[in-house]
Amino acid sequence: MIQKFYPHKKIFLITNNSTRTRQQILEEKLRSFNFELDIKYIYSSAYVSSQYVKQNLIKDTNQQEQSVYIIGQNGLKQEMKNNGIRVINDYDDTRDSIEIGSDEISSMEVDSSVCAVIAGINFSFTYRKLCLASLYLQLNNSTFIATNSDKYFTTQVKDRHMPAGGSIVNAIIGGTLVNPILIGKPERMTFEIMIRDHNLEEESLSKFLMIGDNLLTDVLFGNNCGIDTLVVLSGNTSESKAIDMFINKNMSKEEGIPTYVSPYFGFSSQNLS
Amino acid sequence: MIQKFYPHKKIFLITNNSTRTRQQILEEKLRSFNFELDIKYIYSSAYVSSQYVKQNLIKDTNQQEQSVYIIGQNGLKQEMKNNGIRVINDYDDTRDSIEIGSDEISSMEVDSSVCAVIAGINFSFTYRKLCLASLYLQLNNSTFIATNSDKYFTTQVKDRHMPAGGSIVNAIIGGTLVNPILIGKPERMTFEIMIRDHNLEEESLSKFLMIGDNLLTDVLFGNNCGIDTLVVLSGNTSESKAIDMFINKNMSKEEGIPTYVSPYFGFSSQNLS
């Protein structure tokens, strides 16, 4: 268990992943690296989205008179349901029609219970879903929530990136001119909810350290929260990039600036067993 | 025939429509209003896209060694083919899978003949198409062409807009960080190609008049081309909007400023018959 190395520290996992529930992140990801963590320390963009909806949008006490429309994977829908939020499209929508015409748009019944459209990466995204999101935003004045604005995922092969949640979100912005509330890193929201959940309001910011491999999300998140950051060079950020930043002072406004740099971060699985 | 009223004027139709060939625009749209026009005077964003590709991207003489990947309706594909451009996905792709996974992305063969990705409104847009566009842009360094950046279409019912070509284009930008070459109004390109096709280079700009109902596309197009514009109040622009612009001087940078305003524009079909 990772925390045996740091018995007096709280360790949180903050991830922009929106495709899995927290339980799935633990079982399918962390445990495959021999990491064990109580799910109350896991902050995924799906979980934080559910907390935002509960705190800001759900007004009725039994929570069943309001609902959300999800463009996302099943894990996002399940995380909402795990947190008591009704999902209006709680079924396998990969079998829905891809298309929609103006006649159907003009005449279809639009469920007035939908108070939010929540969009993240969806491998079965279609024009029809885009239109439904657009309808809820127009007719219900629903709140538009983006789990994250990540541009793309890398795959096993260089130069074969896959568009990520941000591209889905961009389509909805482009077709509705509505800007979303952004949930995941580099936004501060996860930090605020985490602090509240764990009663850390009184802790000095100097006692936090954000560790990650991505300047655009992890490090900028730390910067936005006013806490120190450690960037590791074993992933998204290369050594030459770090040299360019620190030796050549070549910095971009969009990227965060790390406090510390380390070539790697990890434990051997032997130590953890 | 409309030109009998203006025997000494050339009349052009400039439309951001990318879903029909020029012949279809004539047969399915213009003739339904009793308008007759030689298709050489019809400038759709599909046609202008084809001209851009031919002039700038197709290098081989028989044109068959290069191709384009289309995210769009059949009319866009057909307009490309009508102009001698090979379409790599020249089949009914509404039956393709919606999804694609990272394994397929990593291993799939990517046709190196694709020199351009052309995107417009596509009522069967899917995540799979988004990924294929992204692959061609990454691996072939293909040129990204957007037929237009229109945000949405209105439908028969108020507040039930449908996302338009710009939303599809936005998804691709969001997932690739590649900015497209924009073809349709309000860009100047249509004017330049029209001038060239009809040998109007020597004509004074004061002899042109752009007529339309949309400040963001039609009127701004006229402004960008340096020609006079007439906005009609029988469509997208309301009388109160015109009053707000001209009496209250409430102007937005993104909208064009018309030279003339008219409550309507048209011919009775009796006169035209």
Side-chain angles (χ1 to χ4, degrees):
Chain A
M1 185 168 144
I2 184 174
Q3 281 181 311
K4 77 177 179 189
F5 292 98
Y6 303 102
H8 305 298
K9 303 262 183 230
K10 285 193 171 67
I11 293 177
F12 295 90
L13 174 70
I14 301 179
T15 169
N16 276 358
N17 181 291
S18 71
T19 65
R20 291 177 164 90
T21 63
R22 293 188 294 168
Q23 192 64 35
Q24 287 169 332
I25 289 172
L26 173 61
E27 289 170 7
E28 297 168 15
K29 300 292 276 187
L30 292 185
R31 283 185 183 153
S32 73
F33 299 113
N34 272 335
F35 271 42
E36 190 65 41
L37 199 63
D38 191 305
I39 68 162
K40 74 180 180 187
Y41 295 112
I42 298 178
Y43 283 81
S44 66
S45 66
Y47 172 70
V48 179
S49 297
S50 77
Q51 296 307 296
Y52 181 86
V53 170
K54 280 176 76 170
Q55 288 165 36
N56 297 282
L57 303 177
I58 301 284
K59 292 186 190 82
D60 56 307
T61 45
N62 71 13
Q63 302 190 353
Q64 291 309 299
E65 287 162 27
Q66 284 172 283
S67 67
V68 297
Y69 176 73
I70 304 272
I71 295 185
Q73 297 298 98
N74 284 336
L76 180 57
K77 293 179 180 175
Q78 189 59 51
E79 186 67 39
M80 291 295 143
K81 293 191 290 173
N82 290 351
N83 289 283
I85 295 164
R86 189 159 71 93
V87 174
I88 195 84
N89 56 331
D90 181 23
Y91 63 93
D92 177 15
D93 54 15
T94 60
R95 289 159 182 277
D96 282 357
S97 165
I98 305 176
E99 304 182 77
I100 194 167
S102 66
D103 286 346
E104 191 177 349
I105 290 272
S106 300
S107 62
M108 76 187 298
E109 206 172 308
V110 175
D111 193 313
S112 63
S113 76
V114 175
C115 66
V117 168
I118 305 175
I121 180 62
N122 182 216
F123 301 112
S124 57
F125 180 63
T126 61
Y127 182 71
R128 185 184 184 85
K129 292 182 183 178
L130 174 58
C131 284
L132 293 178
S134 162
L135 272 184
Y136 289 123
L137 295 177
Q138 291 174 79
L139 290 174
N140 292 3
N141 204 14
S142 300
T143 301
F144 176 22
I145 295 173
T147 60
N148 63 73
S149 54
D150 293 1
K151 304 309 181 201
Y152 49 73
F153 308 110
T154 53
T155 65
Q156 298 92 308
V157 183
K158 189 176 165 288
D159 289 341
R160 293 202 176 206
H161 301 156
M162 292 173 75
S167 67
I168 310 278
V169 169
N170 246 25
I172 302 172
I173 297 172
T176 61
L177 305 184
V178 177
N179 284 316
I181 290 167
L182 296 168
I183 301 291
K185 296 174 285 185
E187 304 300 319
R188 285 178 51 89
M189 190 185 296
T190 302
F191 191 67
E192 287 161 8
I193 288 180
M194 188 186 105
I195 291 290
R196 179 211 64 186
D197 286 353
H198 295 269
N199 302 310
L200 299 172
E201 292 90 344
E202 303 301 318
E203 296 290 344
S204 159
L205 289 178
S206 67
K207 294 173 79 179
F208 292 86
L209 176 67
M210 176 70 195
I211 303 170
D213 71 342
N214 192 313
L215 297 170
L216 291 166
T217 54
D218 304 322
V219 175
L220 188 55
F221 170 77
N223 294 168
N224 288 341
C225 299
I227 64 177
D228 282 347
T229 60
L230 166 65
V231 67
V232 295
L233 304 181
S234 50
N236 193 284
T237 303
S238 65
E239 190 183 332
S240 61
K241 173 72 191 176
I243 290 172
D244 203 42
M245 281 187 93
F246 286 102
I247 310 296
N248 306 334
K249 306 286 177 200
N250 225 338
M251 296 185 188
S252 138
K253 264 191 190 172
E254 288 162 13
E255 292 171 340
I257 301 170
T259 323
Y260 309 108
V261 180
S262 168
Y264 62 89
F265 180 78
F267 306 88
S268 84
S269 29
Q270 217 169 21
N271 289 346
L272 288 162
S273 64
Chain B
M1 184 170 142
I2 184 174
Q3 282 181 311
K4 77 178 178 187
F5 292 97
Y6 303 101
H8 305 299
K9 303 262 183 231
K10 286 193 170 68
I11 293 177
F12 295 90
L13 174 70
I14 301 179
T15 170
N16 276 0
N17 181 291
S18 71
T19 65
R20 291 177 163 90
T21 63
R22 293 188 294 169
Q23 193 64 36
Q24 287 169 333
I25 288 171
L26 174 61
E27 289 170 8
E28 297 168 15
K29 300 292 276 186
L30 292 185
R31 283 185 184 153
S32 73
F33 299 113
N34 272 335
F35 271 42
E36 189 65 41
L37 199 64
D38 191 306
I39 69 161
K40 74 180 180 187
Y41 295 113
I42 297 178
Y43 283 81
S44 66
S45 65
Y47 172 71
V48 178
S49 297
S50 77
Q51 297 307 296
Y52 180 86
V53 170
K54 280 177 76 169
Q55 288 166 37
N56 297 282
L57 303 177
I58 301 285
K59 293 185 188 80
D60 56 308
T61 45
N62 71 14
Q63 302 191 352
Q64 290 309 298
E65 287 162 27
Q66 284 171 282
S67 67
V68 297
Y69 176 72
I70 304 272
I71 295 184
Q73 297 298 100
N74 284 337
L76 180 57
K77 293 180 180 176
Q78 189 59 51
E79 186 67 40
M80 291 295 143
K81 293 191 291 173
N82 290 351
N83 289 283
I85 295 163
R86 189 160 70 93
V87 175
I88 196 82
N89 56 331
D90 181 23
Y91 63 93
D92 176 15
D93 53 16
T94 60
R95 288 158 182 278
D96 281 358
S97 165
I98 305 176
E99 303 181 77
I100 194 166
S102 66
D103 286 347
E104 191 178 349
I105 291 273
S106 300
S107 61
M108 76 187 298
E109 206 172 308
V110 175
D111 193 313
S112 64
S113 75
V114 175
C115 65
V117 168
I118 306 175
I121 180 62
N122 182 215
F123 301 112
S124 57
F125 180 63
T126 61
Y127 182 72
R128 185 184 183 85
K129 292 182 183 179
L130 174 59
C131 283
L132 293 177
S134 162
L135 272 183
Y136 289 123
L137 295 176
Q138 290 175 80
L139 290 173
N140 292 3
N141 205 13
S142 300
T143 301
F144 177 22
I145 295 173
T147 61
N148 63 72
S149 54
D150 293 1
K151 303 308 179 202
Y152 49 74
F153 309 110
T154 52
T155 64
Q156 297 92 308
V157 183
K158 189 175 165 289
D159 289 340
R160 294 203 174 205
H161 301 155
M162 292 174 76
S167 67
I168 310 278
V169 168
N170 246 26
I172 302 172
I173 296 172
T176 61
L177 304 184
V178 177
N179 284 316
I181 290 167
L182 295 168
I183 300 292
K185 296 174 285 186
E187 304 301 317
R188 284 177 52 89
M189 190 185 296
T190 302
F191 191 68
E192 287 160 7
I193 288 180
M194 188 186 104
I195 291 290
R196 179 211 64 187
D197 286 353
H198 295 269
N199 303 309
L200 299 172
E201 292 90 343
E202 304 300 319
E203 295 291 344
S204 159
L205 289 178
S206 67
K207 294 173 78 178
F208 292 86
L209 176 67
M210 176 70 194
I211 303 170
D213 71 342
N214 192 313
L215 297 170
L216 291 166
T217 54
D218 304 321
V219 175
L220 188 56
F221 170 78
N223 294 168
N224 288 341
C225 298
I227 64 177
D228 282 346
T229 61
L230 166 64
V231 67
V232 295
L233 304 182
S234 49
N236 193 284
T237 303
S238 64
E239 191 184 330
S240 60
K241 173 73 191 176
I243 290 172
D244 202 42
M245 281 187 93
F246 286 103
I247 310 295
N248 305 335
K249 305 286 178 202
N250 226 337
M251 296 184 187
S252 139
K253 263 190 189 172
E254 287 161 13
E255 292 171 339
I257 300 170
T259 323
Y260 309 108
V261 180
S262 168
Y264 62 89
F265 181 78
F267 306 88
S268 84
S269 29
Q270 216 170 21
N271 289 347
L272 288 162
S273 64

